[in-house]
Amino acid sequence: MTGPGERIDEPRQWFVDPLTGQPLETEAEQTMPLPVVRDTVPPRRRLRLRPTLGILGLVLVLAVGTTATYQAKTAPPPSAHDLVLPDPVPVTRIEPVIAGWQPVLSDDHPLVYDVPPDWKLEEPDVAIGYETPSGDLLTLQGVARYRHAFCPGSDLSARAMAGFTTIDEGEVGGLAQAAEETTIRWAEAAYGHGPKTEIGKAGPVPVLDGGTTATAVTTTVVPAPDGPCPAPSVAITAIALPLRALPGSGRYHVLLVLADQGIPGAIASGVVLKMGESIRRE
């Protein structure tokens, strides 16, 4: 018997399994769509809202799911149970540079800093945001909190909070102005339009990242007394890195620390500057 397009005088070639003696399909007959087996990954955390330091904060979880795809190369295809998933890439352990402290990482900033052991760390993919009176959104990433949930009825309150933020190069005239402007914007976003503020002088902060010298500015804010668990004042310190610390980004990277003052156990300025001195590349 001949198939379509075959000549009667041309014998057909058959391939036989040497173990069973049964004829095999020809290469042409084996050409079929190849199945794709996908390994599904559980979804990451979703967008959620958090109040922070008495102000409603927007928490953004920035995560990208991963899908592993495998395609069989031979016929018949192997079972899905026969496919071996690759071993996960081990996470590099970041050690603190200050003995007894703990390192804080951010998924969106290639920087690390250390905080004391009694601070609570957020996950590296969490961002906390505040909306300014003009409608702009300011975010902190690589977040750590001191005396977390201290205020009754607010399990997300804290006496101090730290994290990385940025300010565009074109918005300010230099490093000192980047630090000062960052504190002013955060004062208005976190404590309302026109809070009573006092801006301190800019000062150098030597950081560990290649001997870089950052610039720190502290602005003191007097928040409204009608908020829950208020503090007499809040020190907002911005430690801005020079552009050469992360060349090509077009932004100043800033470690921002908001710390209640005039309370028992308040975070001292020396502790804040020590946190800034621990900044280094991840």
Side-chain angles (χ1 to χ4, degrees):
M1 179 180 290
T2 63
E6 295 185 34
R7 293 172 51 188
I8 298 179
D9 57 348
E10 282 188 356
R12 180 179 180 182
Q13 292 183 338
W14 293 91
F15 297 89
V16 179
D17 188 326
L19 296 180
T20 65
Q22 297 297 318
L24 298 176
E25 294 177 332
T26 65
E27 182 176 355
E29 293 170 330
Q30 293 178 355
T31 304
M32 299 178 63
L34 295 177
V36 175
V37 179
R38 299 185 181 274
D39 174 46
T40 58
V41 177
R44 300 291 294 274
R45 288 170 294 172
R46 295 177 181 269
L47 179 72
R48 58 190 189 275
L49 295 174
R50 292 187 178 181
T52 304
L53 295 175
I55 304 296
L56 184 63
L58 174 64
V59 176
L60 307 173
V61 177
L62 311 174
V64 179
T66 304
T67 302
T69 304
Y70 298 86
Q71 180 169 309
K73 297 295 184 181
T74 59
S79 165
H81 297 289
D82 297 330
L83 296 175
V84 179
L85 294 176
D87 293 333
V89 178
V91 178
T92 303
R93 172 63 180 170
I94 303 294
E95 297 293 340
V97 296
I98 303 176
W101 286 28
Q102 48 186 337
V104 187
L105 291 81
S106 166
D107 279 358
D108 296 290
H109 297 263
L111 299 167
V112 184
Y113 68 102
D114 292 347
V115 295
D118 53 351
W119 287 55
K120 180 183 181 296
L121 310 187
E122 295 287 355
E123 293 294 330
D125 62 353
V126 168
I128 294 179
Y130 293 87
E131 186 175 6
T132 66
S134 61
D136 296 328
L137 182 65
L138 306 179
T139 60
L140 275 186
Q141 297 161 327
V143 177
R145 303 171 191 262
Y146 169 65
R147 290 183 60 186
H148 178 259
F150 79 94
C151 186
S154 177
D155 59 354
L156 296 174
S157 60
R159 280 303 191 188
M161 181 174 64
F164 285 116
T165 187
T166 61
I167 186 168
D168 290 342
E169 176 186 3
E171 297 183 64
V172 292
L175 188 58
Q177 188 178 354
E180 179 178 317
E181 180 66 20
T182 299
T183 64
I184 295 173
R185 291 183 183 184
W186 279 84
E188 292 184 348
Y191 299 101
H193 182 69
K196 183 179 178 181
T197 60
E198 182 179 345
I199 302 173
K201 294 182 179 180
V205 178
V207 300
L208 293 177
D209 189 23
T212 302
T213 300
T215 295
V217 172
T218 297
T219 293
T220 302
V221 181
V222 178
D226 56 351
C229 305
S233 63
V234 180
I236 303 179
T237 301
I239 302 174
L241 298 173
L243 294 173
R244 66 176 181 276
L246 292 166
S249 66
R251 301 179 298 169
Y252 292 98
H253 289 255
V254 182
L255 177 63
L256 189 77
V257 183
L258 301 91
D260 287 353
Q261 301 296 297
I263 59 168
I267 298 298
S269 60
V271 173
V272 174
L273 295 179
K274 192 173 181 180
M275 292 164 56
E277 292 171 358
S278 71
I279 298 174
R280 68 270 190 195
R281 294 292 294 266
E282 183 177 347

